Amino acid sequence: MTTKATHLIIVCCHSIYTGGVSGNLYNESNWLLKSFQKSTSTKEGEHETLIRHIFAAIRIHSEHPDNSIIIFSGAATSYSHPELSEAQSYLDAWEALKAVGEVAKGVVDAKGNVILEENATDFYQNLLFSVVKFRNMNGQYPSHITIIAPAFKKARCLELHAKAIKWPTSQLTFHGIDPPFASVLFCHEIFPFGVQLEGCYDANSHCDKRGARTNHQE
């Protein structure tokens, strides 16, 4: 499918919503959350943040309806739902929002303005594979990219991943929305990519983590 879009909006998926179009996406049990993403007595579940990521994409697209396109980026990463990609589940969540009237049905036409990228297993691949997807669809690269992801990933995006794919930061906007926890260590987030920009620096590297996700082991 070819579009006239020049602005690529990437939503980096971080979980799988299993409730389908008719489900309650605010129900935490409808999300396959990791233990650290789940609600506790002191914080909300991270699914609330993921829903805000979807809303942010819709809002940004509505500001540029004629030249922007949304890509939900995320592979099938769950052993219990091997046929459901993170990207497809986000589209289901978006449709569920429309079904209950939280998103005006005319704001975004899913058939024309929302595309799925279903191979990425980490943040670097979210960016790289989405750009490739856009290029394959349009025959050209986007003139601008907006990335929607947790705010703590901003440095990793602008200082490492954009550099790795040789994308100018002047043509990149990072829209960060953090989950309720704020204790992620900067060194844990940056270290694998500071050594090697694609995150594959030794046998126990981030590449192994990607493989585990692809094989639904994480």
Side-chain angles (χ1 to χ4, degrees), residues 25-184:
L25 74 165
Y26 290 99
N27 185 336
E28 184 173 325
S29 65
N30 283 332
W31 291 82
L32 301 180
L33 300 177
K34 303 292 191 298
S35 58
F36 66 87
Q37 294 177 306
K38 295 179 179 179
S39 61
T40 68
S41 59
T42 58
K43 72 174 182 69
E44 67 183 24
E46 193 169 326
H47 64 295
E48 301 269 1
T49 304
L50 307 184
I51 295 169
R52 287 194 279 272
H53 289 179
I54 296 171
F55 272 122
I58 294 170
R59 179 184 60 77
I60 294 168
H61 172 78
S62 69
E63 295 170 354
H64 311 276
D66 296 328
N67 71 334
S68 65
I69 194 165
I70 297 170
I71 290 186
F72 291 137
S73 174
T77 56
S78 171
Y79 181 81
S80 62
H81 292 74
E83 303 303 320
L84 181 60
S85 70
E86 294 176 348
Q88 177 61 56
S89 81
Y90 271 50
L91 180 58
D92 291 346
W94 176 79
E95 293 284 2
L97 287 170
K98 285 205 308 181
V100 297
E102 292 202 35
V103 177
K105 296 186 187 304
V107 170
V108 180
D109 174 10
K111 292 183 175 61
N113 295 301
V114 179
I115 305 300
L116 305 183
E117 186 291 300
E118 300 180 279
N119 294 294
T121 57
D122 68 4
F123 189 32
Y124 170 70
Q125 291 183 349
N126 289 142
L127 173 59
L128 175 62
F129 293 175
S130 295
V131 170
V132 171
K133 184 88 172 181
F134 186 99
R135 173 67 173 79
N136 288 343
M137 287 172 45
N138 277 16
Q140 61 184 9
Y141 292 104
S143 60
H144 195 83
I145 297 173
T146 296
I147 299 180
I148 300 170
F152 66 80
K153 292 181 180 287
K154 182 176 182 178
R156 177 173 156 187
C157 175
L158 298 180
E159 298 174 18
L160 300 175
H161 295 340
K163 181 178 179 181
I165 68 169
K166 296 180 171 57
W167 191 267
T169 55
S170 61
Q171 298 175 29
L172 178 63
T173 299
F174 185 89
H175 187 88
I177 304 174
D178 259 342
F181 63 88
S183 60
V184 177

Side-chain angles (χ1 to χ4, degrees), residues 202-218:
D202 63 24
N204 297 313
S205 70
H206 195 79
C207 286
D208 286 346
K209 191 172 184 179
R210 291 172 182 156
R213 289 172 177 167
T214 303
N215 294 319
H216 317 306
Q217 296 172 4
E218 184 180 86

